[in-house]
Structure formats: C-alpha cells, structure tokens
Amino acid sequence: MTLACGHDPSPHSEYSTGTAHLPDGREVCWECADTIQRDAMVSETKLLAYLNSDGTALQTWSGGILARVTSNVAHKVGFHGSTRHYLTAIDPTGKKWHGTSPGTGMYAKMRASK
Ligand SMILES: [Zn+2]
C-alpha cells in the first residue's frame, strides 16, 4: 500500500496502523505527518502538541520533536491539588511559543509569542 505522501506506512506494531490522517483526509506516513506539522508551525499561531515525559520538548503524537521547552514552571491551581505547567518553547526555526499543559506526557496548548 502506498500512502498519499508517496511512502509506505511507517514501521508499526500490530496495535497501530503506521499512518496518520491529515485534517484534509489524506493518509500519510508518520515521518511526513511530523514534517507537515513542523511546516505548518511556521505560519500557524496555535499549536496543540504533547509535552514529553521529562518536560523538555513538545512532540507530535508519534514522537517527532516540534520544539524545545525553554522554561517549565508548575503552579497549583484550584483546591484539588491539580497543577498547571506554564511553558515557553522555541522551535527549530527560532520561533517562540508559550502555553500551558496539565503535565508531562499530556497535551500542551501553545500560542506563538509576539
Ligand atoms: Zn511519507
């Protein structure tokens, strides 16, 4: 099977498909999905990513590095002991991002810094 990007599906386990679906419905390999997301970050002002397990990088769901975390400050919020991480990050093009995440290994909602 050849995908929309012209590659075969990424190496994968029996529990995953080795492909990613773009918002426009095209099915591409993981490597291309990461590349497309990085390219989109150049013009996008919002980014939904994952904070990696040690809190040092923002990643795609397939593990591609999108940006390096430059500061990660945790604040307690509310009365239930929950924590919010305030993040700043810089991507490979030098563009700066800031946002919040509930914690490592979870999503991070980022916005491009002015
Ligand atoms: Zn591909």
Side-chain angles (χ1 to χ4, degrees):
M1 184 175 81
T2 303
L3 302 171
C5 61
H7 299 127
D8 293 326
S10 304
H12 58 86
S13 74
E14 58 187 299
Y15 303 108
S16 63
T17 62
T19 66
H21 289 268
L22 300 179
D24 64 11
R26 280 183 299 156
E27 191 175 23
V28 299
C29 71
W30 288 351
E31 204 170 311
C32 286
D34 289 352
T35 302
I36 289 164
Q37 190 162 0
R38 281 194 201 97
D39 286 351
M41 284 170 69
V42 173
S43 53
E44 289 293 326
T45 57
K46 287 183 191 170
L47 172 69
L48 187 61
Y50 286 94
L51 183 61
N52 73 353
S53 58
D54 57 6
T56 57
L58 299 173
Q59 300 185 335
T60 64
W61 63 272
S62 56
I65 302 286
L66 293 173
R68 185 169 53 86
V69 171
T70 49
S71 73
N72 178 348
V73 180
H75 287 284
K76 289 237 182 299
V77 291
F79 298 100
H80 304 288
S82 57
T83 304
R84 182 172 293 164
H85 289 250
Y86 292 84
L87 305 170
T88 59
I90 187 163
D91 73 20
T93 69
K95 187 168 174 177
K96 290 176 180 162
W97 299 81
H98 66 276
T100 61
S101 171
T104 54
M106 300 182 73
Y107 65 89
K109 283 185 188 168
M110 305 299 289
R111 280 175 176 276
S113 301
K114 293 225 167 70

